[in-house]
Amino acid sequence: MKKGIFSHWIFFMVVHFVGSQEMKRRDILNTLLSSAEYDPRIPPDYEKDIATEVDVQLFIISIDSINELSMDYTLNLFIRQTWMDPRLNFSHLSNISMLELDQKHIGDVWVPDTYFQNEKSATIHTVTVPNKLLHIYNDGLIIYSIRLSLTLSCIMDLRFYPMDDQTCSILMESYGYSIHNVKLMWNPDDAVIIGTAHADEQTLPQFYFYKPLETLGCSTINSFNVEFSCLQAKLFFRRNLGYYMSQVFIPSMLIVTLSWISFWIHVDAVPARVSLGVICVLTMTTQSSGIRNSLPRVSYIKAIDIWMALGLLFVFAALLEYAFINIQTRKHQKQTKMPEKDDKKYETIDERKNVDFMARARHVDRLSRVVFPVSYILFNIVFWGVYLSK
């Protein structure tokens, strides 16, 4: 007697003589998986030369972090896959609507070999047991769900950082089955669900969604000229400026403004003016260095580079302004210490020179009190106008 006929005979004997509902479910499952017609090594429609359509849905529990330095982002999600397997249809055997498989027996059923193309690292949650689910419906519908934590690569364009927008993708593909055997398709109702509501309600520490996500179907061809089915979901992030305004822009503005105080300090107060200028330069340099260490070493210039470079330039220019003032005052002191001459003409020229040096120094200070703030305000207008108008 063949194995398939013997299995069906055992099942019908159990149905007639055993009234327990639990026994029915167990024996239905044993009958289906031990049938000669079922082979978990091949897709449902493998022998028919028809591609098995796998419906995919992602439920993103949380987006934990977005890292500019390593150009990746981490998220926690459920991947839910649904397909029809006529070999597991048991509507003719029982009125039971669904069978729930224990995660230990999921390996006895064929499941798609879906993987994430842009995955850097991933883990399947195993507390307290591996977080896997597989349900078999009486019409042969299979629902398969896994909970994953993923770190996916996201190539970022940081030219406008920190006023930048980033587009990060989730790329999925069948690893071993070509498009002729397995075809991945997005769920037509809800392809990607973020949190418990819509994407625009999901908030991140430094980002927010500035437009709805997009889902696309695609295909790829490998080096062996074999075409595979793939799916792509695009997430559109925009950086929140609140943190950078409070931690970068406003402090640097205050440092630049602080450097202008030296224009009101007397030209003879050398320690005060030099200390103020040096402290402002060192503070700007330290702040700029801290920002650079948190970003990748890209070859192009970022918006934050322009901001910090111009801020350092203004602070350094204020220090150079006092260097010029100090030179003028030293010339004045040198002239005043020269021995008196009998030549009246020479004394007149000497006095005029002394007055010129001090007047020049005071004039430069008065001019700097206007030129520096006006120049910095114009720079801010141009900077924010350019980078916020994009």
Side-chain angles (χ1 to χ4, degrees), residues 118-231:
N118 57 335
E119 171 254 323
K120 284 188 172 181
S121 62
T123 56
I124 298 176
H125 291 250
T126 58
V127 179
T128 57
V129 294
N131 295 176
K132 296 181 180 181
L133 172 150
L134 194 144
H135 290 171
I136 303 175
Y137 288 81
N138 58 6
D139 60 350
L141 178 68
I142 311 296
I143 295 179
Y144 181 49
S145 176
I146 309 177
R147 184 185 176 194
L148 302 170
S149 285
L150 297 168
T151 298
L152 304 177
S153 64
C154 177
I155 305 302
M156 302 181 185
D157 186 355
L158 300 174
R159 288 181 173 86
F160 289 91
Y161 178 92
M163 288 79 69
D164 57 327
D165 303 334
Q166 302 298 338
T167 301
C168 296
S169 297
I170 302 174
L171 301 173
M172 292 178 291
E173 183 180 325
S174 175
Y175 190 83
Y177 293 106
S178 68
I179 197 171
H180 303 291
N181 289 312
V182 172
K183 183 178 181 180
L184 301 179
M185 304 175 62
W186 284 115
N187 184 288
D189 298 325
D190 291 303
V192 181
I193 303 173
I194 298 183
T196 57
H198 300 288
D200 55 2
E201 298 181 13
Q202 177 76 11
T203 58
L204 297 169
Q206 294 186 29
F207 291 87
Y208 63 93
F209 291 96
Y210 69 94
K211 70 176 183 178
L213 57 87
E214 295 180 2
T215 54
L216 306 170
C218 57
S219 62
T220 61
I221 299 178
N222 65 6
S223 57
F224 301 102
N225 202 29
V226 178
E227 186 177 8
F228 293 87
S229 177
C230 63
L231 297 175

Side-chain angles (χ1 to χ4, degrees), residues 325-348:
I325 296 298
N326 186 256
I327 292 173
Q328 304 306 311
T329 56
R330 284 187 306 176
K331 287 182 178 180
H332 170 71
Q333 293 171 359
K334 182 178 179 181
Q335 293 295 338
T336 56
K337 292 180 180 180
M338 292 181 63
E340 294 183 358
K341 303 293 183 179
D342 295 330
D343 188 355
K344 183 68 176 178
K345 180 180 179 181
Y346 181 82
E347 290 180 358
T348 304

